[in-house]
Structures are given as C-alpha cells and as structure tokens.
Amino acid sequence: MKALLIVDVQNDFCPGGALEVPDGDEIVPVINELSKQFNVVIQTQDWHPAGHSSFASSHEGKEPFETIEMPYGQQVLWPDHCVQGSPGADFHPDLETTRSQLIIRKGFRKEIDSYSAFYENDDETTTGLTGYLEARGINTIYAVGLATDFCVKWSVVDGVKEGFDVYVVEDAVKGIDIEGSVDQAWTEMLNAGAKKVSSKKLLK
Ligand code: VGL
Ligand code: ZN
C-alpha cells in the first residue's frame, strides 16, 4: 500500500515567509491534485519552540545560513521560523489538509533540529513514523513538499534506509538551494535508491 508524504508545506517556507523557498507555493495545486489519488495522506509540520537551537538568533554573533558544530554534528543556522502556534507554522492556506490522516510534528525539542520525518538530526531519536507506516501495511511512499534540499531529502533518504520504496515527485518539491544543495540533494536521494517521478505520470 502507498502513502503520500507531504513535507512542511507551511507559510514560513512559502514566499513572504521567514525562511522562504523560492516559488515554494507553486507546488500547492500540484499536491492538491495528487492527494486525491491517495487513500493514505500524511503530513509533516516543522514545529519549533521559541529560542530553538537551530535559530541563528539563539547563538551570539551568528547569522542565518552559517553552519555550526552541534553535539550531533553540523547544523545550518536558520532565521527564526515555524515557531509553535505562530501563523508561519500554519500550513499554506490553499493546501488541502482535510484528508490528512497523520500529522507528524518535528523539531519540537529545543536542543535538536529535525529535518527528517523519521529521525531527528542525531539520526537516533525516532518520530515514530516507521512504526506507524508498518502497522498500516504501507510499503511505498511518494514524497512531496518543502524543502527539496533539507526536509524532503532527509525524509527520503531515511525512508529508503527504513526499507520503504520511495518516489520523489519532481514537480511537487522545491528547494532553498544553498550553493548547489538542490542538485546535491537529488544526487543523494537517487544514490540512496529513491526514484524520481513526475506528477503527470502519476495523474494520468
Ligand atoms: C526545513 C530548514 C529548517 C525544511 C526546516 O522544511 O526543509 N529547512 N527547518
Ligand atoms: Zn526548521
């Protein structure tokens, strides 16, 4: 059985948001069309407490998009974004969410970021998603959303590692693109064993 995984389609990742992905909102109508074809729709929601450790503002003298060393490895620092309960953390108003059956919130621990839908950035702390999917007999995931080079990529690579067949819908993802990170993300996702597919192919 297959599931659609909609990653972080939230106001802060769309134009005008705190961490905007260029043209991030353009994928919303594509995702809405796609989701009609799925009986299982799952979403993730980036959900940080104020003062989260991934925010540059939490580190004296640091600017957004600089990288620092955290106990669990390298961490890019971000503008404050997707603060719990803020409008920026809401899903894009045009995103069809009524048929979503599970919303995984992530990044809610102050000391650790969480890009992937499966594991926090220490690669150890689970979100519980693998168990949920397995319990429901899902073996195939179609990934869409934001951002290609961060939360989509980490979710896709972890999904493959967890033993799922993972497809990435190329026209239903958009990236932040820091120094070629979108191209690199595609290389990593395909090398991991994920497959690229277009929405046209899925919709026909
Ligand atoms: C994301 C950076 C920080 C994402 C979330 O959804 O790709 N990127 N938090
Ligand atoms: Zn975040």
Side-chain angles (χ1 to χ4, degrees):
M1 187 155 62
K2 62 180 186 170
L4 182 69
L5 177 65
I6 306 173
V7 177
D8 294 3
V9 181
Q10 293 167 258
N11 290 326
D12 270 344
F13 297 124
C14 290
L19 177 42
E20 58 184 328
V21 177
D23 302 324
D25 55 339
E26 287 182 4
I27 63 173
V28 171
V30 184
I31 295 173
N32 288 344
E33 275 311 302
L34 275 175
S35 66
K36 292 177 190 161
Q37 305 211 338
F38 284 80
N39 292 324
V40 182
V41 180
I42 292 163
Q43 292 184 239
T44 64
Q45 187 173 26
D46 212 39
W47 195 249
H48 300 306
H52 191 255
S53 59
S54 76
F55 297 168
S57 62
S58 304
H59 304 269
E60 179 96 37
K62 295 289 178 191
E63 295 293 328
F65 307 106
E66 283 183 44
T67 298
I68 61 162
E69 198 63 41
M70 299 283 246
Y72 53 84
Q74 296 258 314
Q75 171 73 47
V76 179
L77 294 175
W78 304 109
D80 292 21
H81 66 279
C82 296
V83 173
Q84 295 173 355
S86 71
D90 286 344
F91 297 120
H92 187 284
D94 297 335
L95 183 73
E96 184 52 68
T97 61
T98 48
R99 293 183 59 255
S100 299
Q101 298 164 351
L102 175 74
I103 297 170
I104 292 268
R105 286 177 167 169
K106 58 185 182 60
F108 52 76
R109 284 188 185 81
K110 203 168 190 170
E111 301 314 318
I112 180 165
D113 206 359
S114 186
Y115 294 149
S116 162
F118 294 91
Y119 288 95
E120 303 197 15
N121 286 12
D122 61 0
D123 254 345
E124 229 167 68
T125 310
T126 178
T127 64
L129 183 57
T130 299
Y132 175 88
L133 294 173
E134 284 178 358
R136 293 198 58 189
I138 289 152
N139 53 15
T140 306
I141 298 167
Y142 287 81
V144 299
L146 307 169
T148 314
D149 35 352
F150 290 91
C151 292
V152 172
K153 177 189 84 177
W154 285 53
S155 298
V156 165
V157 170
D158 279 352
V160 174
K161 274 192 206 151
E162 295 290 86
F164 298 98
D165 283 332
V166 185
Y167 293 84
V168 186
V169 187
E170 58 181 340
D171 54 330
V173 293
K174 290 265 184 217
I176 299 171
D177 212 9
I178 303 172
E179 295 167 13
S181 54
V182 167
D183 282 349
Q184 200 197 319
W186 275 110
T187 304
E188 285 177 43
M189 292 190 290
L190 297 174
N191 282 348
K195 284 157 240 154
K196 193 197 262 195
V197 66
S198 72
S199 67
K200 269 205 193 75
K201 188 149 181 209
L202 296 175
L203 289 168
K204 77 177 178 206

